[in-house]
Amino acid sequence: MSFGAPTALVEAPISWSLDDYPAFEFSQTRSGVLPGLMNAELVGQNWFADFRYMAERYDWGVITYTMHPHVIGRGHRLIMLEGLIEKLVAAGARFLTMEDAVAEYRAKFPDGLRAPGG
């Protein structure tokens, strides 16, 4: 693999493990079953642990949780989300739009980041 010419593009990736849909929604297709219906408190613990890992090991980073109103909007899931937000705030998290996160990234890393050896 070799890197191409640098561009101004900044990728703001998401992760299925930080998305509410696969954790909570049942979905069956010909290719498989997404069981969903996970315990909301356990999902919240996983999501916070991912933030904690990043915060303890890196000087700066972005973690992106993806929420769908029709999925996260169940009472027990909203209680988990409220608790997650409280724990994130207590741990020093800042909440930004992706536009603001990209602007901060560009200011912090004007030459961008390259993979090791890239």
Side-chain angles (χ1 to χ4, degrees), residues 85-109:
I85 291 168
E86 290 168 0
K87 286 171 64 174
L88 289 166
V89 168
R94 293 184 306 128
F95 296 83
L96 306 172
T97 65
M98 291 309 294
E99 181 179 16
D100 289 342
V102 167
E104 189 170 316
Y105 165 82
R106 285 189 168 136
K108 195 167 192 66
F109 305 101

